[in-house]
Amino acid sequence: MNKKIEIREEFIRLDSLLKLSGIAETGGHAKFLVQNGEVKVNGEVCTMRGKKMRKGDIAEFKNNLIQIV
């Protein structure tokens, strides 16, 4: 699944992005996924749930890609 999420602000936090895209059901679920190293940002494992995602960044979880536009 590939999704494009449009943001109007300068950035969105990674945990919020996971919730918005439907990958995580809750903030706690997003935290769990990120802290367990299950999420990649721009091709590298990211364990910072508060990572600032900006336009052009790509998050990946189990072959699901989310691109910020």
Side-chain angles (χ1 to χ4, degrees):
M1 167 178 73
N2 293 336
K3 281 191 173 183
K4 291 186 178 186
I5 303 287
E6 183 176 351
I7 61 170
R8 295 184 187 142
E9 295 79 21
E10 179 184 348
F11 65 88
I12 184 172
R13 287 174 34 132
L14 178 58
D15 57 352
S16 297
L17 177 66
L18 294 174
K19 289 191 304 184
L20 182 64
S21 67
I23 288 178
E25 296 178 15
T26 64
H29 184 218
K31 176 182 175 181
F32 178 81
L33 296 176
V34 173
Q35 289 184 338
N36 280 338
E38 298 181 49
V39 178
K40 290 183 180 180
V41 173
N42 299 326
E44 296 185 16
V45 173
C46 179
T47 56
M48 299 180 301
R49 71 174 192 204
K51 169 88 173 139
K52 293 178 180 178
M53 303 290 292
R54 293 181 166 82
K55 291 180 182 179
D57 285 340
I58 298 174
E60 180 181 352
F61 173 73
K62 294 187 178 179
N63 296 323
N64 295 308
L65 298 176
I66 309 157
Q67 182 178 8
I68 308 297
V69 294

